Amino acid sequence: MLVLLGDSTAVGIGDLVPGGWRGFGPILSSAYSDNGYRNYAVSGARLADVRRTQLPQALRDRPSAAVVIAGVNDTLRSDFSVRRMHEDLDHVCRELTAAGVSVVTVRFHDQGRVFKLPGRLRRVLKDRIDEYNRVVDVVVARHGIRCVDLHTMPGAYELETWAVDRLHPSERGHRMLARAFAAELTALGHRFDEVSLECSGGRELTVWHHMAWLMLKGIPWLFKRGADLIPLLWADDESADTIGPVPGEVLPADTGRI
């Protein structure tokens, strides 16, 4: 069985089809030779939510493979703590691997290159993404799991890869994720059919969709999140909450930083 744990990207937001959100999960599971698929992801979930709620549910299914994609919501909050993120991600991956589950997670891209933000805010958020990617490197090396680097994924910064909100993948973006996850799980011994990148069934976007979303959704979202985001404009350049290298372990090359 394949299980998904995470936030709105794992829910499938961005890939709208008749009946609701699809996303990379159903696309990936349809190419998987094993039977069974469960998606425990919740829009807005943080790593602590994955640890406390989604992980116990997933473990009860006794899955053979799991995709874990979360952390962005943590980087957007005023109580951001890289140490807590490390503890939560490490716990999730440790419990899954201890149960014999093949795990794939992600390193995140520079979201400011896709979703246009004021310069200072973009730099602060990029620094947070870099810190979290460093956590991912540590956890991946410690538990021997696989990882998809979104920054180096071909086409990651092309507009058609992203939904109208530029925060979630489009149908093409979700198909790219499904193909990348299938490749990593194949390397762990699972069997997958080829995942097609040809779009079918998803909503096509126009310039008007992008403009309408910016006015009706994007700007109101920024105001709504102002309590968390505005203080970042005056945040110190040096974070007081960092995580050092794990003793006895060598970090992989940090290809996610520019």
Side-chain angles (χ1 to χ4, degrees):
M1 174 178 286
L2 170 69
V3 296
L4 267 57
L5 295 83
D7 54 25
S8 54
T9 296
V11 168
I13 292 181
D15 180 20
L16 184 61
V17 297
W21 302 113
R22 176 179 51 185
F24 70 83
I27 298 171
L28 180 63
S29 66
S30 66
Y32 190 30
S33 61
D34 197 359
N35 292 323
Y37 165 69
R38 295 286 187 279
N39 190 343
Y40 291 108
V42 176
S43 182
R46 301 174 66 175
L47 280 167
D49 300 315
V50 176
R51 175 180 181 173
R52 288 194 302 260
T53 305
Q54 299 179 30
L55 176 64
Q57 295 174 324
L59 287 174
R60 284 195 290 270
D61 286 333
R62 298 184 178 180
S64 56
V67 173
V68 179
I69 178 168
V72 169
N73 289 315
D74 295 80
T75 67
L76 294 172
R77 300 301 177 88
S78 58
D79 64 348
F80 169 80
S81 169
V82 70
R83 290 188 179 277
R84 285 199 301 269
M85 294 177 75
H86 169 258
E87 292 170 359
D88 291 335
L89 182 65
D90 184 71
H91 177 87
V92 169
C93 294
R94 181 175 65 248
E95 293 298 305
L96 287 170
T97 55
V101 183
S102 298
V103 181
V104 180
T105 189
V106 300
R107 301 178 89 257
F108 288 104
H109 59 294
D110 178 5
Q111 297 195 344
R113 288 178 58 179
V114 181
F115 185 80
K116 305 303 182 183
L117 294 171
R120 172 61 177 167
L121 183 57
R122 174 184 169 179
R123 289 192 297 272
V124 173
L125 291 177
K126 182 181 183 302
D127 287 344
R128 290 185 170 191
I129 290 292
D130 286 345
E131 287 188 79
Y132 179 58
N133 283 341
R134 191 166 167 228
V135 164
V136 173
D137 288 340
V138 171
V139 174
V140 166
R142 177 184 297 136
H143 298 293
I145 64 178
R146 306 290 293 191
C147 182
V148 171
D149 191 333
L150 301 185
H151 170 66
T152 61
M153 179 184 293
Y157 293 104
E158 296 176 2
L159 185 59
E160 59 265 28
T161 301
W162 300 98
V164 66
D165 62 7
R166 301 194 184 186
L167 292 172
H168 299 95
S170 62
E171 178 185 354
R172 176 176 172 79
H174 276 285
R175 287 184 175 277
M176 290 165 58
L177 284 175
R179 175 176 282 191
F181 290 137
E184 296 300 330
L185 288 170
T186 296
L188 292 174
H190 298 270
R191 295 179 57 188
F192 283 84
D193 296 330
E194 182 179 359
V195 175
S196 173
L197 295 183
E198 182 177 351
C199 294
S200 61
R203 181 176 61 178
E204 294 186 10
L205 300 178
T206 66
V207 173
W208 164 248
H209 285 113
H210 288 276
M211 293 298 296
W213 181 88
L214 179 63
M215 298 301 298
L216 299 177
K217 297 290 186 179
I219 293 175
W221 178 83
L222 285 174
F223 276 104
K224 181 179 179 181
R225 296 302 302 275
D228 283 315
L229 297 177
I230 290 177
L232 299 185
L233 297 175
W234 293 275
D236 293 336
D237 289 331
E238 297 295 331
S239 172
D241 183 21
T242 59
I243 178 173
V246 176
E249 295 186 3
V250 179
L251 297 182
D254 189 359
T255 57
R257 296 176 186 162
I258 301 175

